[in-house]
Amino acid sequence: MASREKRRKRKRKREASPESNPTGQSSSPIPSLPYDLVLLCVARVSRLYYPTLSLVSKSFRSLVSSPELYKTRSLFGFTESCLYVCIQNLAGDADWYTLCRKPDKTLKSGSSGYALARVPDPNSPLWHCRNVVAVGSDIYNIAFPRSLNVLPRVSILDCKSHTWIEAPSLPVELHSFSASVVDHKIYVAGYDHRLMKNSFEVFDTETRVWDSLSASDQGEEMSISKKTVSIDGKFHVVTDEEVLAYDPKQGKWDMVGRGMRGLTISDDYCVIGNVLYSVYEGVFKWYDTETRTWRDLQGLVGLPKITRHREFIRLGDYGGKMVVFWVHVIWPYYKKIWCAEISLERRPDTSEIWGKVEWFDELHKTNIFYRVEKVLSTTL
């Protein structure tokens, strides 16, 4: 009788376990709470805190990278912009970081509370991160080939699980090119050194298929400056003479004037809210597409004067706000990486755009031979 009673208790315990974890996929990080409840609670937490949560336990580390968590965030409308920063050395070896919030107990007086947390990226491809773009929750790296007769490889960083996967290589042997995103498609403009002509390619991120674009007569002859941008749903290519714009809906190229050619001397640039911003020697400007002229970004009260070498300044779109990264060199020991977040406001009475500095702070120290190569925003 006693042995029969023990078997009944063991059976009841086995039947009870799925109730505590209805998904049957992971044990709850908090044993006293059902897995689905913990999942919903964590989904409501800003992703800025996920690097800290992942340090609590292996269960939490597994949870913050689980597909169920991001499905829940999407289902209940908890998705947000997440900032990623690529820091690489002269050899092209890159480390990825994400913006995060520090635990309150570690905050110092006057601190913004922000820091850069290194992304655990196993099997990271060791290629230059100059041509990386973000589409949804993924980051695409179209790497410059390190030798001739090699097609540029394409790798995808899944920012949910922080794992790299391979995608079809660029079908044309380009050794100088630039990429931009229009409607979840990646457009690439570059120079084919083998055939001695310009090449325009497009990658569908949904089907993961490359296709070629026919170039206009002007596009065939002009020298591409290796800078492209996406504005008004069009793919803009900056050349030494003019700026070409490809309209995917109409399938044709147009000449859009020379005004945007100011990008050729900029330290860095980005598009925020369909407006192109640029910085050169610490002066911030935006491009007025109606007048086709560059205008000064007003405001910026409290922003430190930034007059560094061009490799030290990087701009990025962070949920409709501008982030500015710059470096303070402590030679010959290390570099301090600083960041400022700037909110933007277009004033209809004057048609000017004003920037308000929300915060700025030192986020990270890195090796003297590393630099901030790229700043990207994903949606997670």
Side-chain angles (χ1 to χ4, degrees):
M1 291 295 290
S3 59
R4 189 179 301 170
E5 185 65 26
K6 289 180 180 178
R7 285 196 296 271
R8 287 200 193 100
K9 288 181 179 179
R10 283 197 296 268
K11 184 177 181 181
R12 281 197 297 269
K13 183 179 282 188
R14 286 196 299 270
E15 293 174 347
S17 58
E19 295 176 5
S20 61
N21 177 11
T23 64
Q25 296 182 7
S26 277
S27 59
S28 174
I30 305 177
S32 60
L33 296 177
Y35 178 83
D36 281 357
L37 179 58
V38 176
L39 180 71
L40 183 58
C41 290
V42 174
R44 296 174 64 92
V45 175
S46 171
R47 200 169 180 272
L48 289 167
Y49 295 94
Y50 282 16
T52 300
L53 275 177
S54 66
L55 300 177
V56 174
S57 66
K58 290 183 178 180
S59 296
F60 269 109
R61 194 178 310 131
S62 176
L63 177 61
V64 297
S65 62
S66 66
E68 298 84 18
L69 175 63
Y70 292 97
K71 288 179 182 177
T72 303
R73 287 174 63 88
S74 178
L75 180 64
F76 288 94
F78 299 145
T79 55
E80 60 185 317
S81 295
C82 302
L83 195 69
Y84 280 79
V85 180
C86 176
I87 300 176
Q88 84 178 18
N89 62 20
L90 298 178
D93 302 328
D95 293 326
W96 284 90
Y97 293 80
T98 183
L99 187 69
C100 70
R101 294 287 293 179
K102 298 178 182 178
D104 291 342
K105 291 183 179 181
T106 65
L107 294 183
K108 298 179 181 178
S109 177
S111 171
S112 66
Y114 290 98
L116 290 180
R118 186 171 180 177
V119 171
D121 49 353
N123 303 319
S124 174
L126 298 178
W127 295 296
H128 288 276
C129 293
R130 195 173 306 162
N131 282 292
V132 290
V133 294
V135 182
S137 62
D138 296 324
I139 292 175
Y140 292 76
N141 180 22
I142 308 175
F144 283 114
R146 293 188 172 183
S147 60
L148 297 176
N149 301 318
V150 176
L151 296 176
R153 297 182 63 177
V154 180
S155 303
I156 306 173
L157 175 61
D158 180 352
C159 295
K160 299 175 182 177
S161 60
H162 287 150
T163 55
W164 287 93
I165 58 175
E166 290 294 311
S169 298
L170 188 67
V172 182
E173 187 181 324
L174 302 181
H175 289 267
S176 60
F177 56 88
S178 178
S180 294
V181 177
V182 181
D183 294 332
H184 291 84
K185 291 184 178 181
I186 302 173
Y187 290 79
V188 177
Y191 187 72
D192 188 334
H193 293 268
R194 185 173 55 86
L195 299 179
M196 306 292 288
K197 70 173 186 176
N198 293 331
S199 178
F200 303 92
E201 311 294 324
V202 58
F203 181 71
D204 190 321
T205 59
E206 295 182 355
T207 62
R208 296 188 179 177
V209 173
W210 284 98
D211 198 4
S212 295
L213 295 179
S214 58
S216 64
D217 294 337
Q218 299 93 334
E220 287 283 3
E221 300 171 357
M222 295 180 180
S223 176
I224 297 174
S225 72
K226 295 189 293 185
K227 290 190 177 181
T228 62
V229 69
S230 171
I231 305 176
D232 294 329
K234 299 177 182 179
F235 176 55
H236 291 70
V237 182
V238 180
T239 74
D240 290 345
E241 302 175 16
E242 276 274 2
V243 177
L244 303 174
Y246 177 76
D247 188 338
K249 294 181 180 179
Q250 298 185 10
K252 69 175 186 177
W253 293 88
D254 289 315
M255 309 285 285
V256 293
R258 300 168 59 90
M260 202 182 294
R261 287 188 65 252
L263 285 181
T264 58
I265 62 171
S266 69
D267 292 339
D268 201 31
Y269 61 95
C270 71
V271 175
I272 306 173
N274 204 40
V275 177
L276 174 62
Y277 295 87
S278 176
V279 59
Y280 177 69
E281 289 295 327
V283 179
F284 292 80
K285 293 180 176 290
W286 62 278
Y287 187 72
D288 190 331
T289 54
E290 293 183 1
T291 62
R292 295 185 177 180
T293 58
W294 288 95
R295 305 180 62 176
D296 288 341
L297 179 61
Q298 303 296 321
L300 304 179
V301 177
L303 182 67
K305 189 175 182 180
I306 307 171
T307 56
R308 307 298 182 193
H309 189 270
R310 63 184 56 194
E311 74 174 49
F312 296 152
I313 304 175
R314 291 292 178 264
L315 305 182
D317 174 13
Y318 183 39
K321 297 182 179 181
M322 178 190 293
V323 286
V324 184
F325 280 79
W326 70 96
V327 169
H328 180 203
V329 180
I330 310 298
W331 185 262
Y333 305 105
Y334 56 87
K335 292 177 179 177
K336 292 182 178 180
I337 297 176
W338 288 75
C339 174
E341 183 178 6
I342 301 171
S343 58
L344 303 164
E345 177 191 7
R346 184 188 287 270
R347 299 187 177 178
D349 53 337
T350 61
S351 296
E352 293 180 335
I353 298 181
W354 285 70
K356 178 184 178 182
V357 179
E358 300 287 342
W359 59 266
F360 69 90
D361 202 355
E362 176 192 334
L363 299 187
H364 187 68
K365 291 184 178 70
T366 189
N367 186 286
I368 195 71
F369 299 108
Y370 279 76
R371 68 182 183 185
V372 177
E373 185 63 45
K374 201 74 175 181
V375 179
L376 297 168
S377 185
T378 61
T379 303
L380 291 163

